[in-house]
């Protein structure tokens, strides 16, 4: 099916809206957790399952969802994922019991994983011309980079203005709109691959990812050296080993291992893991600092992210594409990540009696510029070298890298912050001083993550020496590169 330019851009906006809805749900719930806890009677520990149930199925099914898109067609899988996510969102919003909400959040995560896993590959198929692809990826990158902070903003607004139910109910009309427009705008696409689905590979990798996510998100509560945490991580590692063994031997593997011999695929996904870890330092720890130390309301916390969102939005509308077309992958990626590292490092000096203009706004501005510059080249590098028939899998790998990087990074950062806070409390410091000290060291670790990602991306991503940017970036989907 041939699509005119206007239709392709409308199709991109629909894909972006669907992806934004899914990305938001990873963070929008956080500022509403106190209200949900009080309303449904969750305990201090059980409330974590409102977040963890979503992360568990979302992280577990990304790779499988991407490969199913390659087998059966990305459009079909995207529609199925959006349908599941939208229906589950309605159930979440209508939930009156703990079990009902947690079960619906699990289904939400499954639907979100399937839709997210194929969204990037659908976008890559819509835009094959380098300049257009770079611009489209910039818009898509804004969702990946800014979706988490937009979730904090919307969560604060909806929780303060109405109630927590609406952080889920708002997805229902949006999901219906996305489905209807996707049916009209997304081109029909047959699956690229033939042969049997690698069932053994699908089962082992999905089980491994779910075990790893479960161990990580519960690590701080159960203890990182507890039998449960170590046992689950060991089981996840064994299953990954079995999965790799299966993939090296089956005729039609779920994940062809040769993908990771493509330098840009391997480097970009490594950078994605580190970058996601540092982004979670921004989303979650800065929100905790603003709420627990400075005493901001949920709405005020959300509004503090607005400057960064506006900057990232400006980049997504064309600035990031121009940077990539002019300078290639490495320079914008390294520059953006170093700006983000500087923004996180500035938070290290944020005091107990911090002022928004002096102590918060400069960091938000630097992080906005950093994320706006960095995400486009990361996504293009991760997807640009992959054959069309494997684009769904590559999309799933990218999403898995960001998700797992965020989960592992947040677990590390929260653990570091809690340890430092406990030490300061034992030394006689006040509650606010101890919390701030814990956040400081976590922000420093997050800044280090971003700086390391900048070095890796800036030195290891492959670009042809002396070639114009348009010759080495946004390679049309019909080309094969190494």
């Amino acid at each position: 099916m041939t699509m005119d330019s206007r239709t392709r851009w409308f199709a991109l906006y629909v894909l972006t809206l669907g992806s934004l809805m899914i990305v938001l749900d990873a963070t929008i719930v956080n500022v509403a957790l106190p209200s949900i806890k009080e309303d449904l009677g969750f305990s201090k520990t059980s409330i974590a399952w409102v977040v963890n149930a979503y992360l568990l199925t979302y992280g577990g099914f990304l790779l499988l969802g991407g490969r199913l898109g390659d087998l059966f067609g990305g459009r079909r899988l995207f529609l199925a994922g959006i349908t599941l996510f939208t229906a589950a969102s309605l159930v979440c919003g209508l939930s009156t019991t703990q079990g009902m909400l947690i079960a619906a959040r699990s289904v939400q995560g499954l639907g979100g994983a399937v839709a997210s896993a194929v969204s990037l590959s659908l976008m890559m198929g819509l835009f094959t011309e380098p300049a257009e692809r770079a611009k489209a990826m910039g818009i898509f990158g804004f969702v990946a980079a800014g979706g988490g902070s937009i979730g904090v903003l919307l969560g604060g607004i909806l929780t303060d203005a109405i109630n927590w139910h609406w952080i889920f109910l708002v997805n229902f009309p949006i999901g219906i709109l996305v489905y209807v427009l996707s049916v009209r705008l997304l081109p029909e696409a047959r699956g690229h691959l033939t042969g049997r689905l690698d069932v053994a590979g699908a089962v082992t990798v999905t089980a491994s990812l779910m075990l790893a996510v479960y161990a990580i998100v519960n690590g701080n509560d159960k203890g990182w050296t507890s039998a449960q945490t170590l046992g689950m991580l060991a089981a996840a590692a064994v299953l990954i080993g079995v999965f790799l063994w299966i993939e090296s031997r089956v005729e039609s593997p779920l994940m062809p291992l040769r993908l990771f011999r493509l330098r840009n695929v391997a480097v970009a996904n490594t950078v994605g893991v580190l970058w996601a870890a540092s982004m979670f330092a921004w989303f979650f720890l800065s929100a905790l600092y603003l709420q627990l130390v400075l005493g901001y309301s949920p709405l005020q916390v959300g509004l503090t992210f607005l400057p960064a969102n506006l900057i990232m939005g400006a980049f997504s509308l064309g600035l990031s594409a121009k940077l990539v077309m002019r300078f290639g992958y490495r320079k914008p990626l390294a520059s953006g990540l170093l700006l983000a590292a500087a923004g996180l490092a500035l938070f290290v000096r944020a005091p107990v009696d911090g002022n928004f203009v002096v102590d918060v706004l400069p960091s938000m501005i630097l992080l906005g510029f950093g994320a706006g510059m960095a995400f486009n080249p990361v996504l293009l590098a991760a997807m640009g070298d992959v054959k069309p028939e494997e684009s769904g899998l590559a999309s799933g790998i990218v999403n898995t890298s960001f998700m797992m990087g965020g989960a592992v990074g947040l677990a590390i950062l929260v653990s570091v912050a809690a340890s430092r806070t406990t030490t300061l409390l034992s030394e006689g410091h006040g509650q606010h001083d101890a919390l701030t000290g814990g956040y400081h060291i976590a922000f420093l670790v997050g800044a280090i993550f971003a700086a390391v990602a900048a070095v890796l991306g800036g030195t290891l991503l492959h670009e042809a020496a002396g070639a114009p940017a348009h010759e080495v970036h946004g390679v049309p989907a019909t080309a094969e590169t190494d």
Side-chain angles (χ1 to χ4, degrees):
M1 174 181 174
T2 302
M3 301 177 68
D4 60 54
S5 179
R6 185 179 178 185
T7 303
R8 282 189 287 115
W9 284 105
F10 275 125
L12 171 68
Y13 301 144
V14 172
L15 283 173
T16 303
L17 180 60
S19 298
L20 178 62
M21 182 173 65
I22 293 163
V23 170
L24 287 179
D25 250 63
T27 57
I28 194 172
V29 71
N30 287 284
V31 292
L33 286 178
S35 300
I36 297 173
K37 178 175 178 291
E38 182 179 349
D39 192 22
L40 297 185
F42 280 96
S43 68
K44 187 176 179 180
T45 53
S46 64
I47 187 63
W49 276 102
V50 177
V51 176
N52 294 350
Y54 182 83
L55 293 178
L56 194 62
T57 50
Y58 183 82
F61 284 92
L62 281 168
L63 274 181
L64 178 58
R67 200 49 163 174
L68 289 175
D70 290 332
L71 285 167
F72 302 112
R75 179 181 184 269
R76 184 183 301 176
L77 266 291
F78 183 77
L79 291 173
I82 287 295
T83 300
L84 203 57
F85 182 88
T86 302
S89 294
L90 178 62
V91 177
C92 285
L94 298 176
S95 292
T96 55
T97 66
Q98 297 176 20
M100 183 178 179
L101 178 58
I102 290 172
R105 286 286 281 168
S106 298
V107 178
Q108 248 195 333
L110 174 58
V114 171
S116 293
V118 297
S119 55
L120 261 180
S121 64
L122 286 169
M123 193 221 70
M124 296 288 281
L126 289 171
F127 299 93
T128 56
E129 193 276 322
E132 284 194 333
R133 177 175 285 185
K135 183 178 179 182
M137 195 68 85
I139 295 171
F140 213 90
F142 171 61
V143 171
S149 57
I150 293 172
V152 178
L153 172 61
L154 287 180
I157 291 172
L158 291 171
T159 304
D160 269 10
I162 314 176
N163 58 52
W164 68 265
H165 295 274
W166 281 93
I167 66 173
F168 300 116
L169 291 175
V170 73
N171 289 334
F172 188 67
I174 297 173
I176 291 175
L177 178 65
V178 168
Y179 184 92
V180 171
L181 292 177
S182 295
V183 170
R184 292 176 60 89
L185 295 173
L186 292 180
E188 292 281 357
R190 293 180 179 274
H192 293 288
L193 301 180
T194 58
R196 294 181 179 180
L197 175 64
D198 175 14
V199 176
V203 171
T204 51
V205 76
T206 301
S208 175
L209 287 171
M210 292 183 75
L211 280 172
V213 172
Y214 185 90
I216 291 164
V217 298
N218 287 286
N220 285 308
D221 288 334
K222 301 297 183 182
W224 289 103
T225 57
S226 68
Q228 175 179 307
T229 301
L230 293 177
M232 286 192 164
L233 289 175
V238 169
L239 285 172
I240 279 291
V242 173
F243 170 70
L244 294 175
W245 180 82
I246 292 170
E247 299 310 279
S248 67
R249 283 162 173 76
V250 296
E251 183 178 345
S252 301
L254 181 75
M255 186 176 73
L257 300 181
R258 57 183 165 72
L259 274 183
F260 293 96
R261 291 198 295 269
L262 299 172
R263 184 198 294 184
N264 280 1
V265 172
V267 174
N269 279 285
T270 302
V271 169
V273 169
L274 291 166
W275 179 218
S278 63
M279 289 291 285
F280 272 61
W282 173 26
F283 297 154
F284 290 99
L285 295 178
S286 61
L288 289 173
Y289 166 72
L290 293 167
Q291 275 189 302
L292 301 181
V293 177
L294 300 188
Y296 283 26
S297 69
L299 178 57
Q300 288 174 317
V301 171
L303 291 173
T304 61
F305 285 88
L306 189 58
N309 287 327
L310 292 175
I311 293 168
M312 286 187 284
F315 272 93
S316 75
L317 294 175
L319 288 176
S320 62
K322 290 176 181 176
L323 288 173
V324 170
M325 297 305 295
R326 174 68 179 83
F327 297 107
Y329 296 148
R330 290 199 298 252
K331 290 180 180 178
L333 174 61
S335 300
L337 289 172
L338 288 174
L339 284 174
L344 289 169
L346 274 184
F347 266 127
V348 176
R349 55 160 293 281
V352 173
D353 56 349
N355 176 274
F356 171 73
V357 174
V358 175
D359 303 304
V360 177
L361 184 59
S363 292
M364 292 292 184
I365 290 173
L366 285 172
L367 283 157
F369 275 105
M373 292 174 66
F375 258 93
N376 194 339
V378 168
L379 295 176
L380 281 168
M383 297 291 295
D385 286 358
V386 179
K387 298 176 183 178
E389 62 268 23
E390 293 171 344
S391 61
L393 174 62
S395 177
I397 292 172
V398 171
N399 280 284
T400 302
S401 295
F402 280 115
M403 191 274 162
M404 293 301 291
V408 173
L410 184 61
I412 293 170
L413 295 165
V414 169
S415 182
V416 166
S419 176
R420 178 61 176 162
T421 296
T422 301
T423 300
L424 291 174
L425 286 172
S426 68
E427 293 174 355
H429 290 268
Q431 180 73 19
H432 284 180
D433 284 328
L435 282 173
T436 305
Y439 298 146
H440 282 173
I441 192 168
F443 282 127
L444 179 60
V445 174
I448 293 171
F449 285 154
V452 172
V455 172
L456 292 177
T459 57
L460 297 181
L461 283 179
H462 175 73
E463 290 178 349
H470 68 272
E471 292 182 9
V472 294
H473 304 298
V475 180
T478 54
E480 296 179 24
T481 61
D482 196 348

